[in-house]
Amino acid sequence: MSAHSLPPHRKVHVDLGPRAYDVLIGKGLLAELETLWSQTKLHSPLVVIADEKAWGSNRLKNDVSPLLSETEHAFFLIKSGESSKSLEQVSRLMSEMAMQKISRSGTVIALGGGVVGDLAGFVAATYLRGIAFVQVPTTLLAMVDSSVGGKTGVNLPEGKNLVGAFHQPKLVVADLDALVTLPRREFASGMAEVIKYGAIRDLALFERVSTTVKPTDADLDSIVETCVAIKARIVEGDEFETKGERALLNFGHTIGHAIEKATGYTTHLHGEAIALGMRAAAWLSVWHAGLPEADAKRIEVALTSNHLPVKLSPDVDRDAILSALGNDKKISSDGHNRWVLLKSLGEATSGHELPHDAVEKAIDLIYTL
Ligand SMILES: NC(=O)c1ccc[n+]([C@@H]2O[C@H](COP(=O)([O-])OP(=O)(O)OC[C@H]3O[C@@H](n4cnc5c(N)ncnc54)[C@H](O)[C@@H]3O)[C@@H](O)[C@H]2O)c1
Ligand SMILES: [Zn+2]
């Protein structure tokens, strides 16, 4: 194998003791995948599970092919979209892997957005009781959020992410070149999570992204690095979501998930639903956590300047949102929703119980401008 040096890049270490790993962020990293491979001491056979659209952009294909040409591997293309996150898909992949005699020493490479990352991660978590895996996120959302932290899983017809496992990757390679082909709407969806990180933990990050319409390339690597570092610190403190800290990442997600569910996961991309949920949560924060009104308005401006929706269409059924809220997976054992609210921009607190009428008022608010 050739051993070139890596192009300049940023690195976030996720310190989880025996499960620690690095997240590398930069341009041109995938072209050096062979170097990364030997540095991280990963083993063959490889199992490449790739999103069809991400793979269809020739850049990724060209970058990954040299490693594949000289390494024993299995290769699977996954149909784009949330419906690929299913147990049927897991079963198909695992049967193929078994037929191709993929052993425990093998390594799964997830090449795609959150859908492929969650699916491939779950396959890696459970095939032969768990094999190594590497995340190569190709959407902004996957780079700043889903590829880091070890949550893997698939959906059931009864609900999203109802089957899953914690399984940390051995390495995450966020090559910003992959974003060149990402549709603008998908990019904006990822920016919703970036705004979320700023709102819950980092006022400076919030201010950076609330004024720029689209970050320049030079900005983007440090924005991704900042988000990954925030997620890494939160995950380090609460790897298995038992202590409450990881719940902070759900800011805007309680109502966001309810909107996704009420609209059958077809109307809004995840980040778009979360944008609406963050607007509602911002005003709930004003009413119940002391967030200054001006800051809720700044959140609205940040969302709008990043081409994210802040107003729900009247076609969306209000009752469906309310009933979906009753079914949120994050409801605590006593049956109440626990809300993440902002005390100030950059500082979130979790565990809030809210009166029903306040929640209804916040939902009514997002039907208006
Ligand atoms: N595990 C976690 O912690 C976590 C966190 C947040 C979200 N998620 C999950 O992530 C999923 C959403 O992820 P997502 O927003 O990345 O969606 P996605 O994986 O569906 O990708 C979005 C779209 O972009 C396309 N695409 C991907 N890379 C591309 C590229 N480089 N160029 C062109 N097109 C490309 C895909 O084919 C798809 O159409 C959801 O299933 C959600 O549940 C998981
Ligand atoms: Zn999210």
Side-chain angles (χ1 to χ4, degrees), residues 51-55 57 60 78-82 85 112-118 135 137-143 145-153 155 160-161 177-183 186 189-190 193 231 246 253 269-271:
D51 177 279
E52 59 173 4
K53 287 192 189 158
W55 188 254
S57 77
L60 294 187
I78 303 297
K79 202 165 144 285
S80 168
E82 191 66 34
K85 255 177 72 173
V115 163
V116 159
D118 282 9
Q135 289 270 24
T138 64
T139 65
L140 180 61
L141 184 133
M143 288 183 187
D145 191 353
S146 60
S147 66
V148 180
K151 278 194 186 177
T152 73
N155 307 323
K160 263 198 70 167
N161 297 325
D177 284 336
L179 300 178
V180 171
T181 53
L182 191 69
E186 294 290 348
S189 176
E193 301 286 0
K231 179 144 187 194
R246 205 167 167 155
H253 280 58
L269 298 178
H270 176 70

Side-chain angles (χ1 to χ4, degrees), residues 228-240:
V228 168
I230 293 171
K231 179 144 187 194
R233 299 297 87 82
I234 290 177
V235 169
E236 284 164 1
D238 187 12
E239 185 180 357
F240 299 107

Side-chain angles (χ1 to χ4, degrees), residues 258-336:
I259 292 170
E260 288 185 286
K261 192 166 182 197
T263 51
Y265 300 96
T266 50
T267 316
H268 299 290
L269 298 178
H270 176 70
E272 294 171 344
I274 277 15
L276 291 156
M278 281 196 284
R279 182 175 177 221
W283 285 99
L284 284 166
S285 303
V286 171
W287 304 327
H288 291 275
L291 181 74
E293 221 175 284
D295 287 346
K297 292 187 177 145
R298 285 172 80 190
I299 291 178
E300 293 173 341
V301 170
L303 297 170
T304 319
S305 9
N306 282 279
H307 309 286
L308 287 158
V310 291
K311 181 180 173 299
L312 259 180
S313 150
D315 299 342
V316 180
D317 181 10
R318 179 181 184 273
D319 289 341
I321 299 178
L322 286 172
S323 82
L325 274 174
N327 291 323
D328 194 280
K329 189 158 57 82
K330 303 272 158 33
I331 286 179
S332 63
S333 50
D334 59 9
H336 290 101

Side-chain angles (χ1 to χ4, degrees), residues 1 22 26 97 103 108 165-166 194 204 214 247 317:
M1 282 202 185
D22 287 331
M97 286 161 69
S103 65
V108 170
F166 286 99
V194 174
K214 184 167 182 182
D317 181 10

